[in-house]
Amino acid sequence: MNSGIQFHPNDGYEIFSADYALSTPEIAVFNVGPVVVNLPERGNHSRSDLFVVAECRLCFHVSVFNETKKLASAGFSTHVGYFRRGGTQLQHVYGVHYDFDLEHPAHPVFHAQMKSFAQPFAPHVVEKFGLTLPLEDRVEGMLSNVRLPIAELDFFSLVVQLAADHLMWEDSSSEERAAFNDILSLDRGILGASKLASQLSAGAAVPCHRATHWYERL
């Protein structure tokens, strides 16, 4: 979609690792990253001054995969930090934790909370891209206990969101639009965890609330 994008690491065997300590015979748990993506802030920008660091966890139902060879989400956790390369500083401009929660009272099943990831994530930007600018944390101190209901933003849905937010614009070419549609199609290979929450699977609610369903094909 954009030849200037850099994605580290670019080897799936480095990005994904099985978490044997957390896995059970029923649930397979995988850790993701940390992954660092360098891309433009907007689809019509020529400079790639945005760095996104993601560290995630994916959980899948073992029985569903054994029976259908399909991936069905059993939960997730996604930590994301956005950094901008400024003129004199590396600015931490957005940090968010996407989560899945069925246990705590008054928690949306899928929710987002603002959080600073300046200290744990900035070193990954420095390591992968050699940026030695002083760090400015613009997220620290923001109200963190506001839980915003969201789509199911696991790692693969995050990839869709990054493409939509930072690579697409009104004059995107037909090739770019086709590439975005391909990403949507690939992401639909995972069934979301909505059916684990009775209030989401009842009535007219769709059986999957992953981010892929929130975007129209282009």
Side-chain angles (χ1 to χ4, degrees):
M1 296 179 66
N2 185 312
S3 60
I5 295 172
Q6 298 187 62
F7 194 105
H8 296 284
N10 56 14
D11 180 354
Y13 289 100
E14 293 185 52
I15 295 175
F16 302 96
S17 61
D19 192 322
Y20 297 104
L22 291 180
S23 295
T24 69
E26 295 78 29
I27 304 295
V29 180
F30 297 88
N31 294 319
V32 184
V35 171
V36 187
V37 186
N38 175 220
L39 69 175
E41 285 196 36
R42 296 181 182 273
N44 60 342
H45 287 187
S46 58
R47 290 174 54 90
S48 295
D49 287 327
L50 190 67
F51 301 85
V52 180
V53 183
E55 193 167 34
C56 314
R57 178 170 292 150
L58 299 167
C59 306
F60 298 105
H61 291 285
V62 174
S63 60
V64 174
F65 182 78
N66 287 339
E67 294 169 7
T68 67
K69 301 307 177 185
K70 294 182 180 180
L71 294 173
S73 175
F76 73 99
S77 178
T78 304
H79 293 174
V80 190
Y82 290 69
F83 298 82
R84 178 190 293 130
R85 175 169 43 200
T88 59
Q89 294 172 316
L90 179 63
Q91 304 160 347
H92 180 36
V93 290
Y94 188 67
V96 62
H97 168 61
Y98 301 121
D99 205 0
F100 175 73
D101 194 319
L102 295 175
E103 305 298 329
H104 295 90
H107 278 51
V109 175
F110 306 117
H111 65 264
Q113 291 176 253
M114 296 289 292
K115 181 178 180 180
S116 171
F117 289 104
Q119 295 305 323
F121 283 177
H124 298 301
V125 179
V126 174
E127 176 189 354
K128 298 299 183 183
F129 293 94
L131 296 182
T132 57
L133 297 171
L135 178 63
E136 178 190 8
D137 189 353
R138 298 186 176 184
V139 182
E140 181 67 29
M142 297 188 70
L143 190 63
S144 61
N145 65 318
V146 176
R147 300 178 184 91
L148 181 68
I150 59 166
E152 184 177 342
L153 273 162
D154 55 34
F155 172 71
F156 295 107
S157 289
L158 175 66
V159 171
V160 175
Q161 183 194 24
L162 291 178
D165 288 349
H166 306 291
L167 302 180
M168 302 303 299
W169 63 302
E170 55 267 25
D171 289 334
S172 290
S173 68
S174 58
E175 291 82 2
E176 291 168 330
R177 292 169 184 263
F180 181 74
N181 291 340
D182 287 342
I183 293 175
L184 283 178
S185 297
L186 287 170
D187 198 48
R188 290 193 174 100
I190 298 175
L191 179 64
S194 300
K195 65 179 181 180
L196 299 178
S198 59
Q199 70 270 31
L200 294 180
S201 57
V206 298
C208 179
H209 290 78
R210 296 183 66 250
T212 180
H213 300 291
W214 294 65
Y215 298 93
E216 289 286 349
R217 292 178 62 86
L218 300 177

